[in-house]
Amino acid sequence: MNGDMKMTMGRTVREIARYYSSEESFAIKSGKHLPNRGEVIEVLKELRRVMFPGYFGPENITVTAPEYFVGNTLTEVYVMLKRQIETAILYRNENNESKEEISKRAQEICEYFFERLPELQQMLLKDVQAGFDGDPAAKSKEEIIFSYPGLFAIYVYRLAHILYKEEIPFIPRVMSEYAHGRTGIDINPGATIGEYFFIDHGTGVVVGETTEIGNNVKLYQGVTLGALSTRMGQQLANVKRHPTIRDNVTIYSNSTVLGGETVVGENTIIGGNTFITESIPANTKVSAKSPELVIKKPRSAVEAANVWDWDN
């Protein structure tokens, strides 16, 4: 490295290091750490093996005693999850709790979380059934469990939602963004979603934090359940800004429903490519007027060089 480069590197190092101490987001909190993202994801993977045994691991519960497999796996998950919850609470620690108090709270939250797992498994099985009943291309429920991105996103959401309701920092969002990256489906862990939920295809689906979704709802790719405006930023925190979708609603691809006061009534069908910012009554069909298609008569012969030309 020549002298000029050394001087350049020296200036760069000093400037970056200065931001470390002056920028609040970079401040290293003494004795505190952010949760380990890898371990949070490992919790998701191990719990998926428990929720759907035989699909995502080497276990064969027809040979291994189910109680042994579940007990051993959940014990390992408990250790990881409690450690990460403690880390997250300690990092934020807005109430200045002692480490002993945080450890006790993490234990109580884990107990509640694990008590909810049987109920959560039953809800997931209903989601699987919804996928099978709603998709004629599905060959079996096993195929949905093993390969459908929509079910994976719903699985992660249902776990993250429990921790979100317990106001655990960081971890619910780490979970939901992991699913988002894997599937292209963005479900905020704060959303409230009923049972028998199905996302078909899924890519580009967005479900905002204060969205409420009832039972037996189906969404297709590109659906957005969002806010009308976020210009006020943090002033809108804890304000309902996303829509309410009642029971038995289907929303087809690339449709957008916006606003905290917007309610889509039960038994309603929202057609594709619609943009909705006001409430829709129950038992309604909504569609966007299709643009006029211009179809030209085919030519008898097309030169290879011109086959992709757009000729008005």
Side-chain angles (χ1 to χ4, degrees):
M1 185 182 297
N2 61 37
D4 289 343
M5 190 61 205
K6 287 182 179 179
M7 292 177 62
T8 299
M9 288 292 288
R11 286 195 300 269
T12 301
V13 168
R14 286 192 297 273
E15 284 295 300
I16 291 176
R18 181 170 63 85
Y19 283 127
Y20 282 2
S21 58
S22 62
E23 171 57 45
E24 182 181 357
S25 298
F26 293 164
I28 307 300
K29 296 176 172 60
S30 178
K32 300 178 181 180
H33 305 278
L34 288 167
N36 184 307
R37 186 175 183 275
E39 194 157 269
V40 172
I41 292 171
E42 189 64 22
V43 166
L44 291 174
K45 291 179 177 179
E46 291 301 297
L47 284 176
R48 197 181 183 198
R49 291 173 58 206
V50 173
M51 294 294 103
F52 302 109
Y55 285 89
F56 305 105
E59 62 280 347
N60 183 346
I61 60 172
T62 62
V63 176
T64 304
E67 292 84 358
Y68 174 81
F69 162 67
V70 174
N72 187 59
T73 306
L74 290 187
T75 298
E76 294 176 358
V77 170
Y78 173 84
V79 172
M80 289 189 289
L81 184 60
K82 182 174 181 291
R83 178 165 54 235
Q84 296 310 314
I85 290 175
E86 285 181 356
T87 300
I89 296 174
L90 181 62
Y91 187 90
R92 184 68 58 84
N93 201 12
E94 295 172 342
N95 299 321
N96 293 317
E97 297 174 278
S98 67
K99 288 186 177 181
E100 290 74 20
E101 290 172 326
I102 289 174
S103 179
K104 182 179 179 182
R105 184 148 73 95
Q107 179 179 330
E108 291 171 350
I109 291 168
C110 281
E111 288 177 2
Y112 174 72
F113 179 86
F114 281 91
E115 285 174 354
R116 293 288 307 279
L117 290 182
E119 174 191 350
L120 184 141
Q121 186 183 46
Q122 292 304 308
M123 289 194 73
L124 288 170
L125 291 174
K126 291 179 181 178
D127 297 329
V128 172
Q129 188 66 52
F132 183 70
D133 293 342
D135 184 6
K139 300 299 185 288
S140 65
K141 287 188 282 188
E142 291 86 349
E143 182 179 55
I144 292 169
I145 294 171
F146 196 55
S147 60
Y148 273 41
L151 181 69
F152 179 72
I154 295 167
Y155 156 73
V156 173
Y157 155 76
R158 295 208 184 278
L159 289 174
H161 182 67
I162 298 173
L163 299 176
Y164 175 93
K165 296 293 286 184
E166 293 300 306
E167 299 183 347
I168 302 302
F170 305 115
I171 294 174
R173 199 57 185 254
V174 169
M175 290 178 167
S176 65
E177 289 304 324
Y178 173 63
H180 184 193
R182 283 276 306 271
T183 66
I185 299 167
D186 185 0
I187 306 177
N188 190 287
T192 302
I193 301 177
E195 58 187 32
Y196 204 72
F197 182 50
F198 179 44
I199 299 174
D200 201 359
H201 305 298
T203 304
V205 166
V206 177
V207 179
E209 181 185 30
T210 61
T211 303
E212 297 178 32
I213 297 176
N215 299 326
N216 190 28
V217 169
K218 181 194 293 187
L219 307 180
Y220 283 83
Q221 69 273 16
V223 168
T224 296
L225 306 179
L228 269 171
S229 173
T230 57
R231 292 177 185 172
M232 296 174 63
Q234 287 297 315
Q235 297 179 53
L236 292 173
N238 303 316
V239 173
K240 180 161 172 54
R241 54 198 186 276
H242 304 96
T244 296
I245 311 298
R246 301 294 191 198
D247 296 347
N248 310 316
V249 170
T250 297
I251 305 180
Y252 282 99
S253 59
N254 300 316
S255 291
T256 298
V257 185
L258 304 179
E261 296 182 1
T262 302
V263 178
V264 177
E266 60 269 15
N267 309 315
T268 289
I269 297 175
I270 306 294
N273 301 301
T274 54
F275 189 85
I276 295 170
T277 59
E278 59 186 45
S279 294
I280 304 297
N283 308 304
T284 301
K285 290 184 178 181
V286 179
S287 61
K289 187 176 181 179
S290 298
E292 182 181 359
L293 297 178
V294 178
I295 302 175
K296 294 187 175 183
K297 294 181 179 180
R299 289 174 286 178
S300 57
V302 178
E303 294 180 16
N306 297 326
V307 71
W308 294 113
D309 287 351
W310 181 267
D311 183 7
N312 290 324

